[in-house]
mmCIF file of all heavy atoms in Angstrom:
data_model
loop_
_atom_site.group_PDB
_atom_site.id
_atom_site.type_symbol
_atom_site.label_atom_id
_atom_site.label_comp_id
_atom_site.label_asym_id
_atom_site.label_seq_id
_atom_site.Cartn_x
_atom_site.Cartn_y
_atom_site.Cartn_z
ATOM 1 N N ILE U 1 0.865 -1.184 0.000
ATOM 2 C CA ILE U 1 0.000 0.000 0.000
ATOM 3 C C ILE U 1 0.896 1.226 0.000
ATOM 4 O O ILE U 1 1.705 1.401 0.906
ATOM 5 C CB ILE U 1 -0.929 0.035 1.217
ATOM 6 C CG1 ILE U 1 -1.817 -1.212 1.248
ATOM 7 C CG2 ILE U 1 -1.797 1.294 1.173
ATOM 8 C CD1 ILE U 1 -2.723 -1.280 2.463
ATOM 9 N N ASN U 2 0.764 2.061 -1.001
ATOM 10 C CA ASN U 2 1.542 3.281 -1.072
ATOM 11 C C ASN U 2 0.769 4.387 -0.343
ATOM 12 O O ASN U 2 0.621 4.349 0.864
ATOM 13 C CB ASN U 2 1.835 3.631 -2.518
ATOM 14 C CG ASN U 2 2.949 4.669 -2.634
ATOM 15 O OD1 ASN U 2 3.292 5.341 -1.661
ATOM 16 N ND2 ASN U 2 3.522 4.795 -3.804
ATOM 17 N N SER U 3 0.263 5.342 -1.052
ATOM 18 C CA SER U 3 -0.443 6.434 -0.382
ATOM 19 C C SER U 3 -1.834 5.992 0.078
ATOM 20 O O SER U 3 -2.456 5.111 -0.516
ATOM 21 C CB SER U 3 -0.564 7.632 -1.314
ATOM 22 O OG SER U 3 -1.325 7.300 -2.448
ATOM 23 N N MET U 4 -2.276 6.607 1.147
ATOM 24 C CA MET U 4 -3.626 6.386 1.677
ATOM 25 C C MET U 4 -4.227 7.763 1.940
ATOM 26 O O MET U 4 -3.522 8.657 2.430
ATOM 27 C CB MET U 4 -3.593 5.561 2.964
ATOM 28 C CG MET U 4 -2.835 4.253 2.838
ATOM 29 S SD MET U 4 -2.803 3.295 4.386
ATOM 30 C CE MET U 4 -4.401 2.479 4.289
ATOM 31 N N GLY U 5 -5.485 7.909 1.622
ATOM 32 C CA GLY U 5 -6.052 9.238 1.782
ATOM 33 C C GLY U 5 -7.551 9.240 1.969
ATOM 34 O O GLY U 5 -8.217 8.196 1.905
ATOM 35 N N TRP U 6 -8.040 10.433 2.228
ATOM 36 C CA TRP U 6 -9.468 10.657 2.402
ATOM 37 C C TRP U 6 -9.934 11.758 1.462
ATOM 38 O O TRP U 6 -9.264 12.800 1.316
ATOM 39 C CB TRP U 6 -9.771 11.067 3.836
ATOM 40 C CG TRP U 6 -9.565 9.976 4.832
ATOM 41 C CD1 TRP U 6 -8.428 9.715 5.550
ATOM 42 C CD2 TRP U 6 -10.513 8.966 5.198
ATOM 43 N NE1 TRP U 6 -8.611 8.604 6.343
ATOM 44 C CE2 TRP U 6 -9.883 8.130 6.142
ATOM 45 C CE3 TRP U 6 -11.828 8.681 4.829
ATOM 46 C CZ2 TRP U 6 -10.529 7.043 6.732
ATOM 47 C CZ3 TRP U 6 -12.465 7.608 5.402
ATOM 48 C CH2 TRP U 6 -11.826 6.803 6.336
ATOM 49 N N TYR U 7 -11.072 11.518 0.838
ATOM 50 C CA TYR U 7 -11.752 12.502 0.018
ATOM 51 C C TYR U 7 -13.161 12.676 0.593
ATOM 52 O O TYR U 7 -13.618 11.863 1.392
ATOM 53 C CB TYR U 7 -11.858 12.025 -1.431
ATOM 54 C CG TYR U 7 -10.559 12.046 -2.199
ATOM 55 C CD1 TYR U 7 -9.536 11.138 -1.907
ATOM 56 C CD2 TYR U 7 -10.347 12.949 -3.237
ATOM 57 C CE1 TYR U 7 -8.343 11.159 -2.613
ATOM 58 C CE2 TYR U 7 -9.167 12.967 -3.950
ATOM 59 C CZ TYR U 7 -8.175 12.073 -3.635
ATOM 60 O OH TYR U 7 -6.991 12.077 -4.342
ATOM 61 N N ARG U 8 -13.824 13.724 0.146
ATOM 62 C CA ARG U 8 -15.209 13.903 0.557
ATOM 63 C C ARG U 8 -16.015 14.492 -0.586
ATOM 64 O O ARG U 8 -15.484 15.160 -1.463
ATOM 65 C CB ARG U 8 -15.303 14.778 1.797
ATOM 66 C CG ARG U 8 -15.004 16.249 1.575
ATOM 67 C CD ARG U 8 -15.012 16.996 2.912
ATOM 68 N NE ARG U 8 -14.917 18.445 2.737
ATOM 69 C CZ ARG U 8 -14.796 19.304 3.746
ATOM 70 N NH1 ARG U 8 -14.761 18.866 5.007
ATOM 71 N NH2 ARG U 8 -14.723 20.598 3.509
ATOM 72 N N GLN U 9 -17.311 14.214 -0.525
ATOM 73 C CA GLN U 9 -18.220 14.756 -1.528
ATOM 74 C C GLN U 9 -19.506 15.180 -0.851
ATOM 75 O O GLN U 9 -20.214 14.352 -0.262
ATOM 76 C CB GLN U 9 -18.506 13.720 -2.616
ATOM 77 C CG GLN U 9 -19.292 14.268 -3.787
ATOM 78 C CD GLN U 9 -19.278 13.343 -4.975
ATOM 79 O OE1 GLN U 9 -18.995 12.146 -4.863
ATOM 80 N NE2 GLN U 9 -19.580 13.881 -6.145
ATOM 81 N N ALA U 10 -19.778 16.464 -0.934
ATOM 82 C CA ALA U 10 -21.012 17.014 -0.401
ATOM 83 C C ALA U 10 -22.073 17.017 -1.497
ATOM 84 O O ALA U 10 -21.735 17.013 -2.686
ATOM 85 C CB ALA U 10 -20.771 18.429 0.118
ATOM 86 N N PRO U 11 -23.338 17.060 -1.129
ATOM 87 C CA PRO U 11 -24.412 17.057 -2.142
ATOM 88 C C PRO U 11 -24.253 18.212 -3.124
ATOM 89 O O PRO U 11 -24.060 19.354 -2.727
ATOM 90 C CB PRO U 11 -25.676 17.218 -1.296
ATOM 91 C CG PRO U 11 -25.319 16.654 0.032
ATOM 92 C CD PRO U 11 -23.873 17.016 0.243
ATOM 93 N N GLY U 12 -24.296 17.874 -4.397
ATOM 94 C CA GLY U 12 -24.200 18.890 -5.427
ATOM 95 C C GLY U 12 -22.806 19.397 -5.703
ATOM 96 O O GLY U 12 -22.633 20.316 -6.515
ATOM 97 N N LYS U 13 -21.821 18.816 -5.052
ATOM 98 C CA LYS U 13 -20.450 19.266 -5.226
ATOM 99 C C LYS U 13 -19.562 18.132 -5.731
ATOM 100 O O LYS U 13 -19.906 16.958 -5.627
ATOM 101 C CB LYS U 13 -19.882 19.825 -3.918
ATOM 102 C CG LYS U 13 -20.586 21.080 -3.429
ATOM 103 C CD LYS U 13 -19.881 21.664 -2.225
ATOM 104 C CE LYS U 13 -20.533 22.961 -1.780
ATOM 105 N NZ LYS U 13 -19.821 23.556 -0.605
ATOM 106 N N GLN U 14 -18.403 18.513 -6.258
ATOM 107 C CA GLN U 14 -17.458 17.509 -6.715
ATOM 108 C C GLN U 14 -16.701 16.893 -5.540
ATOM 109 O O GLN U 14 -16.560 17.509 -4.479
ATOM 110 C CB GLN U 14 -16.464 18.141 -7.697
ATOM 111 C CG GLN U 14 -17.058 18.524 -9.036
ATOM 112 C CD GLN U 14 -16.010 18.956 -10.048
ATOM 113 O OE1 GLN U 14 -14.944 19.450 -9.683
ATOM 114 N NE2 GLN U 14 -16.300 18.760 -11.319
ATOM 115 N N ARG U 15 -16.214 15.689 -5.771
ATOM 116 C CA ARG U 15 -15.392 15.049 -4.760
ATOM 117 C C ARG U 15 -14.077 15.812 -4.637
ATOM 118 O O ARG U 15 -13.483 16.208 -5.634
ATOM 119 C CB ARG U 15 -15.126 13.589 -5.141
ATOM 120 C CG ARG U 15 -14.542 12.742 -4.045
ATOM 121 C CD ARG U 15 -14.499 11.274 -4.421
ATOM 122 N NE ARG U 15 -15.844 10.741 -4.641
ATOM 123 C CZ ARG U 15 -16.093 9.447 -4.823
ATOM 124 N NH1 ARG U 15 -15.096 8.572 -4.829
ATOM 125 N NH2 ARG U 15 -17.324 9.029 -5.038
ATOM 126 N N GLU U 16 -13.628 16.009 -3.383
ATOM 127 C CA GLU U 16 -12.418 16.779 -3.157
ATOM 128 C C GLU U 16 -11.505 16.082 -2.165
ATOM 129 O O GLU U 16 -11.963 15.357 -1.274
ATOM 130 C CB GLU U 16 -12.768 18.181 -2.632
ATOM 131 C CG GLU U 16 -13.562 18.205 -1.347
ATOM 132 C CD GLU U 16 -13.997 19.598 -0.935
ATOM 133 O OE1 GLU U 16 -13.663 20.591 -1.628
ATOM 134 O OE2 GLU U 16 -14.672 19.710 0.111
ATOM 135 N N LEU U 17 -10.217 16.342 -2.324
ATOM 136 C CA LEU U 17 -9.228 15.766 -1.427
ATOM 137 C C LEU U 17 -9.310 16.426 -0.055
ATOM 138 O O LEU U 17 -9.406 17.652 0.054
ATOM 139 C CB LEU U 17 -7.828 15.970 -1.989
ATOM 140 C CG LEU U 17 -6.665 15.525 -1.101
ATOM 141 C CD1 LEU U 17 -6.644 14.014 -0.945
ATOM 142 C CD2 LEU U 17 -5.340 16.031 -1.662
ATOM 143 N N VAL U 18 -9.256 15.599 0.975
ATOM 144 C CA VAL U 18 -9.219 16.098 2.346
ATOM 145 C C VAL U 18 -7.798 16.002 2.896
ATOM 146 O O VAL U 18 -7.237 16.986 3.374
ATOM 147 C CB VAL U 18 -10.186 15.309 3.251
ATOM 148 C CG1 VAL U 18 -10.049 15.768 4.701
ATOM 149 C CG2 VAL U 18 -11.620 15.465 2.757
ATOM 150 N N ALA U 19 -7.232 14.802 2.826
ATOM 151 C CA ALA U 19 -5.894 14.593 3.362
ATOM 152 C C ALA U 19 -5.321 13.322 2.767
ATOM 153 O O ALA U 19 -6.065 12.411 2.385
ATOM 154 C CB ALA U 19 -5.914 14.493 4.891
ATOM 155 N N VAL U 20 -3.994 13.269 2.699
ATOM 156 C CA VAL U 20 -3.322 12.089 2.180
ATOM 157 C C VAL U 20 -2.051 11.865 2.982
ATOM 158 O O VAL U 20 -1.445 12.819 3.490
ATOM 159 C CB VAL U 20 -3.009 12.247 0.677
ATOM 160 C CG1 VAL U 20 -2.047 13.399 0.431
ATOM 161 C CG2 VAL U 20 -2.482 10.954 0.082
ATOM 162 N N ILE U 21 -1.673 10.596 3.109
ATOM 163 C CA ILE U 21 -0.450 10.248 3.819
ATOM 164 C C ILE U 21 0.315 9.227 2.985
ATOM 165 O O ILE U 21 -0.261 8.255 2.484
ATOM 166 C CB ILE U 21 -0.768 9.710 5.234
ATOM 167 C CG1 ILE U 21 0.528 9.433 6.012
ATOM 168 C CG2 ILE U 21 -1.687 8.503 5.200
ATOM 169 C CD1 ILE U 21 0.286 9.195 7.504
ATOM 170 N N SER U 22 1.607 9.460 2.833
ATOM 171 C CA SER U 22 2.438 8.554 2.045
ATOM 172 C C SER U 22 2.827 7.334 2.868
ATOM 173 O O SER U 22 2.579 7.269 4.079
ATOM 174 C CB SER U 22 3.695 9.292 1.587
ATOM 175 O OG SER U 22 4.569 9.486 2.689
ATOM 176 N N SER U 23 3.443 6.380 2.212
ATOM 177 C CA SER U 23 3.894 5.178 2.911
ATOM 178 C C SER U 23 4.938 5.522 3.971
ATOM 179 O O SER U 23 5.069 4.808 4.968
ATOM 180 C CB SER U 23 4.458 4.170 1.915
ATOM 181 O OG SER U 23 5.523 4.754 1.181
ATOM 182 N N GLY U 24 5.643 6.618 3.762
ATOM 183 C CA GLY U 24 6.653 7.039 4.719
ATOM 184 C C GLY U 24 6.144 7.960 5.802
ATOM 185 O O GLY U 24 6.900 8.356 6.685
ATOM 186 N N GLY U 25 4.865 8.304 5.729
ATOM 187 C CA GLY U 25 4.273 9.124 6.774
ATOM 188 C C GLY U 25 4.157 10.609 6.451
ATOM 189 O O GLY U 25 3.686 11.384 7.281
ATOM 190 N N THR U 26 4.555 11.002 5.265
ATOM 191 C CA THR U 26 4.395 12.402 4.873
ATOM 192 C C THR U 26 2.923 12.713 4.640
ATOM 193 O O THR U 26 2.234 11.953 3.958
ATOM 194 C CB THR U 26 5.193 12.711 3.606
ATOM 195 O OG1 THR U 26 6.578 12.429 3.841
ATOM 196 C CG2 THR U 26 5.040 14.171 3.211
ATOM 197 N N THR U 27 2.469 13.809 5.213
ATOM 198 C CA THR U 27 1.052 14.158 5.118
ATOM 199 C C THR U 27 0.830 15.432 4.314
ATOM 200 O O THR U 27 1.710 16.297 4.228
ATOM 201 C CB THR U 27 0.438 14.344 6.513
ATOM 202 O OG1 THR U 27 1.176 15.379 7.206
ATOM 203 C CG2 THR U 27 0.507 13.064 7.318
ATOM 204 N N ASN U 28 -0.359 15.527 3.765
ATOM 205 C CA ASN U 28 -0.751 16.710 3.016
ATOM 206 C C ASN U 28 -2.241 16.929 3.266
ATOM 207 O O ASN U 28 -3.027 15.968 3.226
ATOM 208 C CB ASN U 28 -0.482 16.533 1.526
ATOM 209 C CG ASN U 28 -0.663 17.820 0.757
ATOM 210 O OD1 ASN U 28 -0.397 18.900 1.273
ATOM 211 N ND2 ASN U 28 -1.109 17.717 -0.477
ATOM 212 N N TYR U 29 -2.607 18.182 3.532
ATOM 213 C CA TYR U 29 -3.988 18.491 3.886
ATOM 214 C C TYR U 29 -4.561 19.576 2.982
ATOM 215 O O TYR U 29 -3.841 20.493 2.547
ATOM 216 C CB TYR U 29 -4.070 18.993 5.327
ATOM 217 C CG TYR U 29 -3.679 17.996 6.368
ATOM 218 C CD1 TYR U 29 -2.369 17.909 6.839
ATOM 219 C CD2 TYR U 29 -4.622 17.118 6.907
ATOM 220 C CE1 TYR U 29 -2.002 16.988 7.792
ATOM 221 C CE2 TYR U 29 -4.273 16.196 7.871
ATOM 222 C CZ TYR U 29 -2.966 16.133 8.317
ATOM 223 O OH TYR U 29 -2.617 15.211 9.276
ATOM 224 N N ALA U 30 -5.847 19.484 2.759
ATOM 225 C CA ALA U 30 -6.542 20.592 2.112
ATOM 226 C C ALA U 30 -6.561 21.763 3.082
ATOM 227 O O ALA U 30 -6.622 21.575 4.301
ATOM 228 C CB ALA U 30 -7.965 20.187 1.755
ATOM 229 N N ASP U 31 -6.528 22.954 2.547
ATOM 230 C CA ASP U 31 -6.484 24.140 3.400
ATOM 231 C C ASP U 31 -7.671 24.206 4.357
ATOM 232 O O ASP U 31 -7.537 24.672 5.491
ATOM 233 C CB ASP U 31 -6.441 25.414 2.539
ATOM 234 C CG ASP U 31 -5.094 25.615 1.868
ATOM 235 O OD1 ASP U 31 -4.104 24.991 2.311
ATOM 236 O OD2 ASP U 31 -5.031 26.388 0.890
ATOM 237 N N PHE U 32 -8.818 23.732 3.910
ATOM 238 C CA PHE U 32 -10.026 23.877 4.735
ATOM 239 C C PHE U 32 -10.045 22.956 5.950
ATOM 240 O O PHE U 32 -10.935 23.054 6.783
ATOM 241 C CB PHE U 32 -11.300 23.708 3.894
ATOM 242 C CG PHE U 32 -11.350 22.449 3.083
ATOM 243 C CD1 PHE U 32 -11.648 21.224 3.667
ATOM 244 C CD2 PHE U 32 -11.101 22.490 1.720
ATOM 245 C CE1 PHE U 32 -11.697 20.063 2.912
ATOM 246 C CE2 PHE U 32 -11.157 21.334 0.944
ATOM 247 C CZ PHE U 32 -11.450 20.117 1.548
ATOM 248 N N VAL U 33 -9.089 22.040 6.083
ATOM 249 C CA VAL U 33 -9.044 21.168 7.265
ATOM 250 C C VAL U 33 -7.745 21.313 8.059
ATOM 251 O O VAL U 33 -7.609 20.704 9.126
ATOM 252 C CB VAL U 33 -9.260 19.687 6.910
ATOM 253 C CG1 VAL U 33 -10.589 19.495 6.216
ATOM 254 C CG2 VAL U 33 -8.099 19.139 6.080
ATOM 255 N N LYS U 34 -6.824 22.105 7.560
ATOM 256 C CA LYS U 34 -5.553 22.266 8.265
ATOM 257 C C LYS U 34 -5.783 22.781 9.685
ATOM 258 O O LYS U 34 -6.547 23.720 9.901
ATOM 259 C CB LYS U 34 -4.640 23.221 7.500
ATOM 260 C CG LYS U 34 -3.984 22.601 6.289
ATOM 261 C CD LYS U 34 -3.047 23.573 5.585
ATOM 262 C CE LYS U 34 -2.387 22.925 4.382
ATOM 263 N NZ LYS U 34 -1.497 23.875 3.646
ATOM 264 N N GLY U 35 -5.139 22.118 10.629
ATOM 265 C CA GLY U 35 -5.269 22.505 12.024
ATOM 266 C C GLY U 35 -6.453 21.873 12.728
ATOM 267 O O GLY U 35 -6.572 21.977 13.946
ATOM 268 N N ARG U 36 -7.333 21.216 11.982
ATOM 269 C CA ARG U 36 -8.499 20.593 12.581
ATOM 270 C C ARG U 36 -8.509 19.071 12.416
ATOM 271 O O ARG U 36 -8.914 18.351 13.318
ATOM 272 C CB ARG U 36 -9.790 21.159 11.953
ATOM 273 C CG ARG U 36 -9.959 22.655 12.140
ATOM 274 C CD ARG U 36 -11.349 23.126 11.685
ATOM 275 N NE ARG U 36 -11.588 22.876 10.271
ATOM 276 C CZ ARG U 36 -12.609 22.157 9.795
ATOM 277 N NH1 ARG U 36 -13.479 21.612 10.631
ATOM 278 N NH2 ARG U 36 -12.771 22.003 8.493
ATOM 279 N N PHE U 37 -8.090 18.600 11.257
ATOM 280 C CA PHE U 37 -8.096 17.165 10.968
ATOM 281 C C PHE U 37 -6.667 16.635 10.972
ATOM 282 O O PHE U 37 -5.725 17.346 10.599
ATOM 283 C CB PHE U 37 -8.705 16.886 9.597
ATOM 284 C CG PHE U 37 -10.172 17.194 9.469
ATOM 285 C CD1 PHE U 37 -10.900 17.809 10.486
ATOM 286 C CD2 PHE U 37 -10.845 16.849 8.301
ATOM 287 C CE1 PHE U 37 -12.242 18.082 10.344
ATOM 288 C CE2 PHE U 37 -12.197 17.112 8.153
ATOM 289 C CZ PHE U 37 -12.889 17.734 9.173
ATOM 290 N N THR U 38 -6.542 15.369 11.365
ATOM 291 C CA THR U 38 -5.240 14.700 11.345
ATOM 292 C C THR U 38 -5.368 13.332 10.706
ATOM 293 O O THR U 38 -6.225 12.534 11.117
ATOM 294 C CB THR U 38 -4.683 14.542 12.770
ATOM 295 O OG1 THR U 38 -4.565 15.830 13.390
ATOM 296 C CG2 THR U 38 -3.306 13.877 12.735
ATOM 297 N N ILE U 39 -4.547 13.077 9.711
ATOM 298 C CA ILE U 39 -4.528 11.770 9.068
ATOM 299 C C ILE U 39 -3.354 10.972 9.624
ATOM 300 O O ILE U 39 -2.276 11.517 9.886
ATOM 301 C CB ILE U 39 -4.436 11.892 7.528
ATOM 302 C CG1 ILE U 39 -4.648 10.537 6.857
ATOM 303 C CG2 ILE U 39 -3.125 12.533 7.099
ATOM 304 C CD1 ILE U 39 -4.808 10.620 5.337
ATOM 305 N N SER U 40 -3.587 9.680 9.814
ATOM 306 C CA SER U 40 -2.528 8.798 10.278
ATOM 307 C C SER U 40 -2.775 7.409 9.708
ATOM 308 O O SER U 40 -3.848 7.136 9.168
ATOM 309 C CB SER U 40 -2.484 8.756 11.815
ATOM 310 O OG SER U 40 -3.698 8.267 12.343
ATOM 311 N N ARG U 41 -1.782 6.555 9.836
ATOM 312 C CA ARG U 41 -1.939 5.199 9.321
ATOM 313 C C ARG U 41 -1.217 4.211 10.212
ATOM 314 O O ARG U 41 -0.226 4.540 10.876
ATOM 315 C CB ARG U 41 -1.434 5.100 7.877
ATOM 316 C CG ARG U 41 0.039 5.368 7.700
ATOM 317 C CD ARG U 41 0.403 5.516 6.208
ATOM 318 N NE ARG U 41 0.440 4.217 5.527
ATOM 319 C CZ ARG U 41 0.567 4.095 4.211
ATOM 320 N NH1 ARG U 41 0.661 5.179 3.431
ATOM 321 N NH2 ARG U 41 0.612 2.893 3.659
ATOM 322 N N ASP U 42 -1.720 2.984 10.190
ATOM 323 C CA ASP U 42 -1.091 1.871 10.893
ATOM 324 C C ASP U 42 -0.795 0.825 9.824
ATOM 325 O O ASP U 42 -1.698 0.104 9.387
ATOM 326 C CB ASP U 42 -2.030 1.325 11.971
ATOM 327 C CG ASP U 42 -1.383 0.240 12.818
ATOM 328 O OD1 ASP U 42 -0.468 -0.450 12.325
ATOM 329 O OD2 ASP U 42 -1.806 0.067 13.967
#
């Protein structure tokens, strides 16, 4: 498993990236969730 991530889709809107984490643990967040959401993996 390489990257793992979360997307979301609200009614009437396109699916958008929320957060992603690489196999090495590098994370990337959409601006609208920075500071509020945390992605992690086991």
Side-chain angles (χ1 to χ4, degrees):
I1 301 177
N2 196 343
S3 63
M4 307 180 83
W6 291 93
Y7 288 70
R8 72 185 188 186
Q9 188 166 19
K13 295 186 177 181
Q14 290 188 333
R15 193 171 298 188
E16 58 185 358
L17 175 68
V18 175
V20 63
I21 184 167
S22 73
S23 58
T26 301
T27 58
N28 189 33
Y29 296 92
D31 287 342
F32 53 77
V33 302
K34 283 182 179 178
R36 300 189 299 123
F37 293 6
T38 302
I39 189 170
S40 61
R41 63 191 284 171
D42 185 333

